[in-house]
Amino acid sequence: MLHEFLINVPFKEIEEVTDLLNAAGIYNLYYESPIEIIKVQNGYGYEERQDQQVEFKIYASDLEVENLPDAYFPLLESTLSISRDSITHTAHEETDWEQTYDFQDIDLGNNWVIQYPSSSEIYENKNVLKFDPLAAFGTGLHETTQGCLRMIVDKDFKGQTVLDLGTGSGMLAIAASLKGANKVVAVDYEDVARELYHNAKLNELENDLQVVQADLITGDYTISEKYDYIFINIGANETMSILKKHTLLNNSNEFIISGLVEWHIDQLIEMFQIDGFSIKEKQQTNEWVTIHFTKA
């Protein structure tokens, strides 16, 4: 049995409460930060509401602690100087507590479908990109990823080389590979090799697929090789920083850039145009923009 003890805590006191519980040997804690989403220059940000009360949850299992829930009530009362009435207790069957997150397949609307492991659907007369997000960023659910994918799967990359910067779980790299790219180099700040090679195997890919862990903005990693295409799906500010640091506009004549919001793209577009690029294709879903820049 899994026991949940819930108390209400002002968000500004969360760290203090956590420290007190940790000192008492209680570590299985959970809360959600009270945040307000705000619009910023580069997209969206958030502000934490320090004065708001949050539900602070403490967990313990019968397998680890004897005599629950009674064993925890006096411990919580004395540690946090609270009354028994302020603690709400709920018991969960451990099998009921396990959660499975199933993604719904995504039809990109151009004869391509993103299919997730939980799906048993058979798609006749459609192209399928099999994808398992695992732990890395990039599920395919966001408008920016879907905008990039629609552009990529509409193109022929046969025999071409591709650089995917900020690859996350590698969905764009996998898509380019499925469309015939001979060599794909996928770079991310995190170690995402396991995720990317796992998804390559799901799609039975046999091309040259390389994964590099590197900090593209402040690290020592440099990009010197030229590519037929370069993908960047991060954000306007980050993209401009990467372009400048690596003088990347010299490394390809074809860029697919996403992670952009409509109110912050002018400077990026100007940066490409100054270097002789033009907009070959532009797609927008809600406020999110994807642009294919080309240089003749």
Side-chain angles (χ1 to χ4, degrees), residues 163-177:
L163 177 64
D164 180 19
L165 301 180
T167 191
S169 50
M171 183 171 284
L172 305 184
I174 297 299
S177 299

Side-chain angles (χ1 to χ4, degrees), residues 17-145:
V17 170
T18 299
D19 289 343
L20 288 170
L21 291 170
N22 289 169
I26 300 174
Y27 301 99
N28 298 319
L29 314 172
Y30 176 81
Y31 66 90
E32 293 186 0
S33 299
I35 61 173
E36 179 181 1
I37 303 300
I38 57 174
K39 184 186 290 188
V40 297
Q41 182 190 44
N42 199 38
Y44 291 97
Y46 68 91
E47 292 179 345
E48 292 179 336
R49 299 175 177 176
Q50 294 292 323
D51 294 327
Q52 185 167 319
Q53 295 273 331
V54 298
E55 291 186 341
F56 193 92
K57 299 177 181 180
I58 300 129
Y59 294 102
S61 170
D62 286 332
L63 299 175
E64 299 173 344
V65 181
E66 295 181 356
N67 195 30
L68 286 173
D70 293 338
Y72 257 37
F73 285 126
L75 181 59
L76 294 175
E77 290 174 51
S78 60
T79 300
L80 301 178
S81 300
I82 57 177
S83 67
R84 167 68 180 81
D85 292 340
S86 64
I87 306 170
T88 301
H89 168 260
T90 308
H92 304 272
E93 292 290 342
E94 300 229 24
T95 53
D96 295 338
W97 189 250
E98 296 176 359
Q99 298 184 27
T100 301
Y101 297 94
D102 292 337
F103 294 102
Q104 297 296 314
D105 293 351
I106 298 172
D107 191 332
L108 294 173
N110 55 358
N111 208 39
W112 277 83
V113 174
I114 304 171
Q115 185 172 32
Y116 296 97
S118 58
S119 170
S120 58
E121 188 75 24
I122 297 175
Y123 294 98
E124 296 183 359
N125 303 317
K126 285 195 175 183
N127 300 296
V128 176
L129 191 162
K130 296 180 180 179
F131 203 78
D132 186 353
L134 297 178
F137 176 80
T139 62
L141 301 178
H142 200 276
E143 290 97 328
T144 61
T145 305

